[in-house]
Amino acid sequence: ALAPLTCCQNVGNLQSEAEAMLRAGDYAGAWRQSIAAAQAFEALGDKTNQGRSLNTAGAAAAHSGDYTSALRHMETSLALARESGQADLIVTRQNNIAGLHSMLGNYEDAYARYQDALKSIPEKPANETAVRDRQLTLTNLAILYLQVGQNRRALDLYKEILASPFNFAPSVRAQML
């Protein structure tokens, strides 16, 4: 006989379902599931997974056009990543928040978030995750420059990114350009 699921496994299943719903385009369902998972993880004192769930809730809200809720969830998710000392998640969540600000036309706020993300990454990263985080942040910053008509600055960043030793998958490289 199979052992019953533990409380944490059940909560993890909630979060996995929320992520599957998000991928499937069921944003309302993803939001409900991820909020339920975040509340359960909070009750368990699991800040890492609480932040993950809130990040999913933020993505679901953003896809639904509720940018105010998306920002609130993602800001809380970022604060939890900082409390947990998860450097790679801090950068990812700063990029997510910057992207939301950009969608809202808050370009100065987006720029500030991308700069904060870059400050979290060494200029000469020592590991593949940090290299990837730096390149993705620079790519997002280049897209922001294009949005505000600073094409030369965007091109300079793209040249820096392409000169990097890290090789993105061809599909990711295509999205960058």
Side-chain angles (χ1 to χ4, degrees):
L2 294 175
L5 292 174
T6 66
C7 173
C8 292
Q9 287 172 315
N10 286 329
V11 176
N13 289 341
L14 267 179
Q15 177 55 30
S16 295
E17 289 172 15
E19 291 169 356
M21 290 172 165
L22 183 65
R23 285 189 301 275
D26 179 4
Y27 305 128
W31 185 84
R32 282 191 305 276
Q33 288 286 94
S34 58
I35 291 297
Q39 291 169 341
F41 283 127
E42 180 180 23
L44 293 169
D46 184 343
K47 292 181 181 192
T48 298
N49 281 311
Q50 180 188 1
R52 176 179 163 205
S53 296
L54 288 172
N55 195 64
T56 302
H63 285 299
S64 297
D66 185 355
Y67 299 117
T68 302
S69 290
L71 279 169
R72 186 178 70 249
H73 294 313
M74 288 191 179
E75 289 284 2
T76 304
S77 178
L78 173 60
L80 289 166
R82 283 186 172 133
E83 285 180 36
S84 303
Q86 299 168 300
D88 59 326
L89 293 181
I90 291 168
V91 171
T92 299
R93 291 176 183 161
Q94 285 173 324
N95 273 273
N96 291 346
I97 292 166
L100 285 171
H101 281 296
S102 182
M103 283 191 263
L104 289 167
N106 302 331
Y107 300 121
E108 289 180 9
D109 292 335
Y111 178 80
R113 288 301 182 136
Y114 290 135
Q115 291 302 314
D116 286 346
L118 286 172
K119 288 176 192 169
S120 302
I121 310 165
E123 196 165 319
K124 302 280 186 198
N127 63 57
E128 190 171 295
T129 299
V131 170
R132 184 200 68 224
D133 286 348
R134 180 169 174 73
Q135 285 187 298
L136 289 174
T137 302
L138 290 174
T139 299
N140 289 335
L141 187 55
I143 292 167
L144 177 65
Y145 284 149
L146 289 173
Q147 288 175 313
V148 298
Q150 295 185 17
N151 297 350
R152 172 54 50 198
R153 290 179 85 177
L155 184 58
D156 290 343
L157 283 180
Y158 283 131
K159 286 178 183 176
E160 179 181 339
I161 293 161
L162 292 172
S164 172
F166 183 74
N167 290 318
F168 283 106
S171 60
V172 174
R173 280 182 93 88
Q175 290 175 9
M176 290 169 42
L177 305 173

